[in-house]
Amino acid sequence: FVQIWERARQQLKIPPGRAGAVALGGELSLWSPLLLDWLVWMKRQQPKIAIRAHIGMPDQLLEQLRTGVLDVAVLYAPMILPGFKVELVEEEQLVLVRSTKGDDAAREYVHVDWGPHFAAQGGLGQAAFEEPGLLVGYGPLGLNYILRAGGMGYFRKAAVTPHLQAGELELVDGAPEFTYPAYAVYPESAEARADVQEALRGLKAVAR
C-alpha cells in the first residue's frame, strides 16, 4: 500500500507535456560516468520522460525502492528483496594503478573500500608490501589523492583511463584485476511500465 500511494503521489507530479516519470537512484560513485551518461541518453532518446535523480547510500536507496520513492536503484552489491528484480548493468574491472611521479610516494598503497565483493576476491591490501597507511571509502577521493600526493591503489578502469592516457598514472604490471559489477533493482510490477523499461534499456546501452 505504501508503494501504491507513493507511486500515485508521484504520478500527480508528472510535468505537463511528459509521458511519464522515472525516479532512479544510484550510489555516488556510479554517477560518474555511468549514470551521467544515462541522463544524457534519456534526454536525447526519451525526452518525453521526466527524470528524478537521487544519490544515496545502498541501504537508503533500497529503502526508498521498497517504499516506492524510487522506481529503479543502481547498486554494486544489492540485497535480494522479495517482489523485486535484479539485472546486471555493467561489469567493470578494478585495476591497480600508481602515480608516475617516480618517487617513494608512488609506491605507497592507498586502500579503497570497494565493499565485501572486492574483499572476497582477495582485494584487501593484496597489492601492498605493507599495511596501507590510508584507507578511504570513496573511490574518486582515493583517486584524486593519488593524483595529487602520489601512491597506488585499485580503481575502476573507466575512471583511470583518461589519466593513463595523459601519463599521470600507469598500470602496475602483473597485478591481478577484479570484477566489480553494478546492478539495477526494480519492482516486478515495473515490468509493465514502458517508461521504466526504457530507462533500463538506456542503462544497458550506455554501459555497452
Side-chain angles (χ1 to χ4, degrees):
F1 284 116
V2 171
Q3 288 180 339
I4 293 171
W5 165 250
E6 184 62 30
R7 188 66 211 161
R9 188 179 67 82
Q10 291 190 20
Q11 287 288 349
L12 294 175
K13 295 184 178 180
I14 294 177
R18 302 298 176 109
V22 173
L24 181 142
E27 295 183 46
L28 181 59
S29 57
L30 278 165
W31 282 97
S32 179
L34 175 66
L35 295 182
L36 177 57
D37 291 344
W38 173 76
L39 287 176
V40 175
W41 188 94
M42 291 294 289
K43 172 70 174 177
R44 293 173 178 170
Q45 302 295 326
Q46 296 295 333
K48 292 290 187 180
I49 298 177
I51 303 296
R52 299 185 180 96
H54 298 251
I55 300 172
M57 301 296 290
D59 290 347
Q60 178 189 21
L61 294 170
L62 285 173
E63 179 63 17
Q64 291 176 336
L65 188 68
R66 189 184 65 81
T67 57
V69 174
L70 293 180
D71 298 310
V72 182
V74 185
L75 307 162
Y76 283 121
M79 292 173 52
I80 304 300
L81 299 175
F84 290 83
K85 297 200 68 174
V86 178
E87 289 190 23
L88 178 67
V89 174
E90 70 171 355
E91 197 165 41
E92 272 208 280
Q93 296 295 114
L94 295 176
V95 296
L96 184 63
V97 296
R98 66 186 168 206
S99 169
T100 56
K101 292 184 177 182
D103 52 17
D104 289 340
R107 292 191 292 272
E108 294 179 358
Y109 179 65
V110 175
H111 178 69
V112 179
D113 181 8
W114 292 106
H117 182 73
F118 177 55
Q121 296 182 81
L124 184 58
Q126 178 173 327
F129 295 104
E130 57 187 23
E131 288 298 315
L134 175 62
L135 291 86
V136 298
Y138 179 47
L141 173 60
L143 179 58
N144 283 316
Y145 171 84
I146 286 175
L147 289 170
R148 293 182 61 179
M152 65 178 180
Y154 275 96
F155 300 97
R156 293 181 297 123
K157 194 170 187 177
V160 300
T161 295
H163 303 291
L164 293 170
Q165 295 172 343
E168 299 170 301
L169 299 173
E170 62 184 7
L171 289 168
V172 177
D173 291 336
E177 297 184 0
F178 301 95
T179 58
Y180 200 58
Y183 300 89
V185 186
Y186 58 94
E188 291 177 352
S189 59
E191 290 185 293
R193 287 182 51 194
D195 51 1
V196 171
Q197 293 306 307
E198 281 302 303
L200 292 169
R201 186 171 73 87
L203 280 172
K204 294 172 185 176
V206 298
R208 288 195 297 267

